[in-house]
Amino acid sequence: MCGIVGYIGAREAQSVLLQGLEKLEYRGYDSAGIAVYDGSVIRVKKRLGRLSNLEEQLNGHGLPGSVGIGHTRWATHGRPSDENAHPHEDCSGHFVVVHNGIIENYRMLREQLRREGHRFRSETDSEVVAHLIESLYDGDLLGTVLKAANRLRGAYALVVMSVREPDRLVAVRKHSPLVVGLGEGENFIASDIPALLSYTRRVYVLDEGEVADVTASRVACYRLDGTGVDKQVLEVTWDMAAAEKAGYEHFMLKEIYEQPKAIADTLTGRLAEDNRAVLPELGWDEDTARQIDRIHIIACGTAYHAGMVGRQILERLTRIPVEVEVASEYRYREPVYTENTLVIAVSQSGETADTLAALREAKSRGRRVLAITNVVGSSVAREADDVVITQAGPEIAVASTKAYTTQLVAFYLFACYLARLRGSADPEAIRGILEAVRGLPEAVSKVLDTAPAMKQFARRFAWKESAFFIGRGLDYVAALEGALKLKEISYIHAEAYAAGELKHGTLALIAEGVPVIALATQDHLYEKTVSNIKEVKARDAYVLALTWAGDGEMATVADEVLYLPRTNPWVAPVVVAVPLQLLAYYAAVERGNDVDKPRNLAKSVTVE
Ligand code: AGP
């Protein structure tokens, strides 16, 4: 996730900007840059890679001046590179911007501006903002930024500086956070409070659709329609570590709670108002879609579970046979391809060695590869033919949460997109699924309310030796992911079973008090699952069942029931994932484990 810092005052802006950006490094980024006004022009330096690369470049060639803006970029549009790094300039170098978020209508604006003669230097959506301001500028920077902001669609935070009015910075918040730090004869801007804490604890938190006009001696705030706003000063009392985690005890918990936003961001620009999945990054035609006669999905760990959900939805909607395999097996198996097999590689980091090797195997055999990844410019993204980027933002905890649920969203979108192009499913069925997908940010927000119940259950359950997760159909996949999460961070032995398979062996392990987490969200399999719950209850297991709110039967069968806000069963794996993540989290906390960095595991597995 990108970071923004701005400074105006009497200090050397460069060091304030670099220090501020350092405090935002924990959010993850792939490039960094700063712009400083030196009394006559704005000088910009930006570099691919760590902040230290930029610092090296500035060593001995620093940017003097006391007004500036800085940025750390997490690529969304355009690969990570020096050119795509922020700040971005207009043609004249008079207007310089940093931007977080996504400008949805940038293609249209870019085309218009190009026709007017503007020359673009990067592949980003952000650069259009600098050119748009250049084209609209009428001697009033604040008014021009307001006009420009009203022409931008999407979720973004912006800070603009200009040689024409070098004594001010103008900042805009639209669905992407920004705060203004208040000093004496100096002021600060940042996308997150940690960047300001070394200088001030007095801040204005900009609300949705607010604009700040910031000079060294005053800060004035407005709404996007230009009317003034009176802001209350917030006194920050947290320390640095808490601020980085936004008040959450662990990154994992923060990331669990970020899921409604991560899902909404992944849907941005990909779901038309009439509930059609549009994936502009693919731009496939009907022939391309119709040619595909087989799909192989390759991934590891949690991403493999996303692929298992993907298989069910793809087969249902496209009728194409789909195989899913863990990449470490696939790469050595000499898989059999048809002429038009599409290979889908799923990887949060885009750097997992086994997934990359499996992708290369498919490429070397001439297959088309589509990547679903969270990291623009990662190896998987670069080597694939087509890429669908999930917009989860950086995931810091080793246990994957928001990356997983956004991978599921990417699969729903892709399956509906492919089915529409192939004409392989009833348009009403597709619309129904996409309507539920559109409702996921809200459904996930509601299901987060199960946290106290999961915490309580986890306290009682945390010292059990083992646990079983059961379900049928999509619930079986959700069970696999629930068990993996629990093992990974709580170190409790956990197994997931297709509920119908229990009696073929595993039932022997069920004894008095053994915890069984039973998932029952698939309406057409509900009665079968209830029978399987009865099987384990007959062996005195302790059953926590997860099913839809409104159910009347489960409470008579299971020991405890957690009710979920009802939605279309096809999207249940997203909804169910949340309480299972919370269960694993609270069990790990209860056991005193290092939740964000579990033993023996790494975030990105770049070795075989
Ligand atoms: C999930 O919680 C794990 N940390 C792990 O299974 C992970 O999903 C797997 O290593 C794949 O990583 P990737 O998505 O970055 O390729």
Side-chain angles (χ1 to χ4, degrees):
M1 244 146 50
C2 308
I4 286 181
V5 181
Y7 177 73
I8 186 159
R11 302 179 201 237
E12 277 303 307
Q14 175 177 310
S15 75
V16 178
L17 298 175
L18 291 174
Q19 273 193 37
L21 292 177
E22 233 169 70
K23 298 290 189 304
L24 299 178
E25 277 194 297
Y26 72 93
R27 296 157 64 100
Y29 65 100
D30 48 57
S31 52
I34 60 168
V36 178
Y37 175 66
D38 71 359
S40 58
V41 294
I42 299 174
R43 297 192 184 281
V44 178
K45 288 255 165 91
K46 43 198 202 170
R47 253 293 191 269
L48 175 66
R50 312 295 302 167
L51 206 51
S52 51
N53 293 0
L54 176 67
E55 282 164 346
E56 239 166 65
Q57 200 198 11
L58 289 165
N59 206 353
H61 309 278
L63 304 183
S66 55
V67 183
I69 55 181
H71 192 264
T72 42
R73 175 174 187 250
W74 169 266
T76 59
H77 291 68
R79 75 210 138 84
S81 67
D82 289 349
E83 300 73 40
N84 290 338
H86 297 218
H88 288 289
E89 299 168 79
D90 68 321
C91 304
S92 60
H94 288 180
F95 301 94
V96 181
V97 301
V98 287
H99 162 230
N100 283 359
I102 296 167
I103 308 290
E104 277 181 41
N105 57 339
Y106 84 99
R107 276 202 185 86
M108 188 263 289
L109 289 170
R110 193 175 164 114
E111 225 13 76
Q112 270 174 13
L113 290 160
R114 211 197 289 275
R115 278 200 298 272
E116 283 175 26
H118 292 262
R119 297 174 319 279
F120 286 83
R121 301 184 190 95
S122 76
E123 305 158 319
T124 63
D125 53 340
S126 314
E127 194 186 343
V128 297
V129 182
H131 293 276
L132 184 62
I133 291 171
E134 177 186 22
S135 128
L136 296 174
Y137 188 66
D138 56 5
D140 166 18
L141 187 64
L142 173 65
T144 304
V145 172
L146 285 171
K147 268 190 227 154
N150 282 303
R151 296 198 31 198
L152 301 174
R153 279 209 324 266
Y156 56 83
L158 296 171
V159 184
V160 184
M161 67 187 291
S162 171
V163 275
R164 309 281 191 92
E165 298 177 49
D167 54 349
R168 56 170 27 97
L169 298 174
V170 180
V172 186
R173 173 191 174 147
K174 204 165 166 211
H175 302 298
S176 187
L178 265 190
V179 291
V180 179
L182 307 171
E184 295 295 326
E186 60 180 355
N187 286 306
F188 308 81
I189 300 172
S191 51
D192 209 349
I193 289 171
L196 309 175
L197 284 183
S198 315
Y199 305 99
T200 181
R201 290 185 163 263
R202 300 178 68 238
V203 302
Y204 285 155
V205 178
L206 293 189
D207 285 317
E208 225 18 76
E210 284 184 357
V211 179
D213 182 20
V214 182
T215 68
S217 55
R218 95 181 232 290
V219 178
C221 295
Y222 304 89
R223 295 188 192 87
L224 279 174
D225 62 8
T227 53
V229 188
D230 264 344
K231 298 294 293 176
Q232 298 287 322
V233 175
L234 173 81
E235 294 281 348
V236 180
T237 51
W238 340 308
D239 65 4
M240 188 58 209
E244 281 180 0
K245 291 178 191 152
Y248 291 97
E249 206 182 326
H250 298 97
F251 281 111
M252 182 181 175
L253 192 60
K254 174 172 174 273
E255 287 158 8
I256 290 173
Y257 275 86
E258 280 172 350
Q259 287 177 108
K261 179 169 187 313
I263 293 170
D265 288 349
T266 302
L267 291 175
T268 299
R270 288 165 168 168
L271 197 46
E273 272 160 27
D274 58 353
N275 279 340
R276 260 179 327 114
V278 279
L279 290 170
E281 59 272 63
L282 297 188
W284 289 3
D285 57 19
E286 291 170 4
D287 285 345
T288 313
R290 288 204 178 112
Q291 268 167 16
I292 299 167
D293 57 7
R294 197 159 291 263
I295 297 176
H296 291 180
I297 301 175
I298 46 175
C300 303
T302 287
Y304 167 71
H305 296 151
M308 289 181 76
V309 173
R311 166 170 60 190
Q312 297 207 27
I313 184 96
L314 278 163
E315 284 192 339
R316 158 80 196 276
L317 293 179
T318 67
R319 306 314 298 161
I320 302 171
V322 182
E323 288 173 35
V324 198
E325 193 162 2
V326 286
S328 52
E329 289 295 314
Y330 186 93
R331 62 184 289 190
Y332 294 115
R333 192 172 58 82
E334 294 188 25
V336 178
Y337 297 105
T338 56
E339 178 89 1
N340 291 305
T341 299
L342 171 73
V343 176
I344 304 180
V346 193
S347 172
Q348 181 280 130
S349 60
E351 302 297 346
T352 300
D354 284 320
T355 308
L356 200 53
L359 177 157
R360 286 176 181 155
E361 157 71 21
K363 290 286 298 173
S364 73
R365 306 273 301 278
R367 298 310 113 183
R368 183 175 191 143
V369 177
L370 179 147
I372 295 179
T373 179
N374 196 35
V375 183
V376 178
S378 58
S379 305
V380 165
R382 278 186 282 113
E383 296 190 26
D385 301 283
D386 300 284
V387 186
V388 174
I389 297 288
T390 51
Q391 301 289 357
E395 199 178 58
I396 293 164
V398 166
S400 187
T401 53
K402 59 178 182 166
Y404 170 65
T405 47
T406 54
Q407 282 162 357
L408 297 184
V409 168
F411 268 116
Y412 293 122
L413 289 171
F414 177 64
C416 292
Y417 172 79
L418 194 58
R420 174 167 61 76
L421 290 176
R422 290 170 67 90
S424 56
D426 172 11
E428 277 315 303
I430 299 179
R431 254 196 289 278
I433 292 173
L434 287 175
E435 201 180 308
V437 170
R438 188 189 290 285
L440 277 173
E442 202 190 325
V444 169
S445 296
K446 280 195 197 145
V447 83
L448 283 165
D449 293 343
T450 60
M454 292 321 279
K455 187 175 185 175
Q456 228 188 39
F457 181 78
R459 279 206 178 127
R460 284 179 280 126
F461 153 96
W463 297 101
K464 296 281 180 190
E465 265 176 26
S466 65
F468 293 86
F469 289 69
I470 61 170
R472 286 171 174 258
L474 287 172
D475 282 333
Y476 169 49
V477 185
L480 284 165
E481 175 56 14
L484 176 64
K485 212 89 304 172
L486 187 70
K487 284 184 266 207
E488 196 176 20
I489 57 170
S490 76
Y491 317 146
I492 298 173
H493 166 249
E495 295 297 339
Y497 274 90
E501 190 61 14
L502 279 175
K503 55 188 162 301
H504 299 290
T506 311
L507 210 48
L509 296 175
I510 303 294
E512 190 181 347
V514 169
V516 175
I517 319 295
L519 309 179
T521 67
Q522 300 302 299
D523 294 338
H524 65 300
L525 298 167
Y526 180 87
E527 288 307 333
K528 305 270 175 212
T529 306
V530 166
S531 303
N532 298 130
I533 296 174
K534 286 180 179 163
E535 279 168 12
V536 294
K537 273 309 301 167
R539 275 88 189 163
D540 295 324
Y542 188 88
V543 177
L544 167 69
L546 275 64
T547 192
W548 301 121
D551 174 283
E553 185 179 356
M554 197 59 87
T556 65
V557 187
D559 297 282
E560 290 185 49
V561 185
L562 187 86
Y563 294 103
L564 310 164
R566 186 172 255 289
T567 178
N568 185 321
W570 277 102
V571 299
V574 178
V575 178
V576 169
V578 177
L580 298 186
Q581 293 163 355
L582 289 164
L583 172 63
Y585 171 77
Y586 286 119
V589 171
E590 185 66 19
R591 291 168 70 111
N593 295 351
D594 187 348
V595 174
D596 287 333
K597 291 194 184 71
R599 68 185 183 205
N600 309 338
L601 299 177
K603 182 69 190 159
S604 182
V605 187
T606 53
V607 291
E608 199 181 341

